[in-house]
Amino acid sequence: MPNTPIWNLPYPALSEPPNVPADIEALADATDTALSTVAASLRDELAEVAGSADGSHVWSGSRTVGDTVGSYFNITNFAEVRSAGIATLTGGTTITLNRAGKWALTVVCGVNAPSAGVEKCQIAWPGGPFVGGALASAVPSAGGFGGAGVVSFGPAWTGWVTAAQAAAGFTVQVGRDSAGGDQAAHPTVVYAEYLGAGFTP
């Protein structure tokens, strides 16, 4: 008896003698097995994303940016705020996701509002899903921010990550696109949320 290519559901060939009860029973049993597989996978996926530490990760750190145009520095002192699950931090610098699937990444950097120059905060992910290996957000620090205080900015991305990309790891960098006087440490927080692998039979 032949089977369908994906779910392996049986069906009678034209050359076989008809046996409707047996054929329907075989198809019903195979369908029951396939649906059980789908249901178990979805239960595991939803529990992992919504109910466990695997789903959400947070790191925080800071870096002082000098007045050198075009220089971007890895934040080297990240510490785990919440990261008991699948994503890991190495050396306070490199964040590795460790699992293929859909991820939401958000980086929030802070900069002194009244300072001059254009500050940039970026996710640098060699071989990753970003064009040129980086996803950046820039803010003109002297452009229209009145008074003192810290302006928050940074890149955010949601998309699919392959196994190779998940294993490669990414860094977060801060720097300048134009000269300015901000010498304060940039507080930075990284959020990585695992949204699931999806289901592929």
Side-chain angles (χ1 to χ4, degrees):
M1 183 177 285
N3 299 287
T4 59
I6 297 177
W7 289 109
N8 204 33
L9 302 178
Y11 59 92
L14 291 175
S15 59
E16 297 177 18
N19 189 339
V20 174
D23 293 342
I24 291 177
E25 181 181 5
L27 178 59
D29 288 341
T31 302
D32 192 57
T33 299
L35 290 176
S36 296
T37 301
V38 172
S41 176
L42 291 175
R43 279 196 304 269
D44 291 346
E45 194 68 36
L46 291 172
E48 180 176 46
V49 173
S52 76
D54 285 359
S56 182
H57 313 274
V58 182
W59 299 269
S60 66
S62 64
R63 181 70 188 246
T64 299
V65 178
D67 199 21
T68 303
V69 176
S71 293
Y72 300 96
F73 306 96
N74 285 345
I75 295 176
T76 57
N77 64 346
F78 275 125
E80 295 179 356
V81 176
R82 181 174 68 249
S83 181
I86 53 178
T88 54
L89 176 68
T90 303
T93 302
T94 303
I95 295 169
T96 308
L97 299 179
N98 294 318
R99 181 169 299 177
K102 192 171 187 179
W103 285 85
L105 306 177
T106 303
V107 177
V108 180
C109 288
V111 59
N112 285 345
S115 65
V118 176
E119 311 268 350
K120 186 161 79 170
C121 178
Q122 68 181 20
I123 302 170
W125 198 344
F130 308 131
V131 177
L135 182 72
S137 177
V139 59
S141 303
F145 300 118
V150 175
V151 173
S152 296
F153 70 107
W157 176 84
T158 299
W160 293 93
V161 177
T162 67
Q165 293 161 353
F170 63 87
T171 58
V172 176
Q173 301 175 346
V174 291
R176 288 188 169 279
D177 278 351
S178 64
D182 184 17
Q183 302 293 321
H186 289 55
T188 304
V189 181
V190 178
Y191 302 89
E193 184 175 2
Y194 181 63
L195 302 177
F199 184 80
T200 304

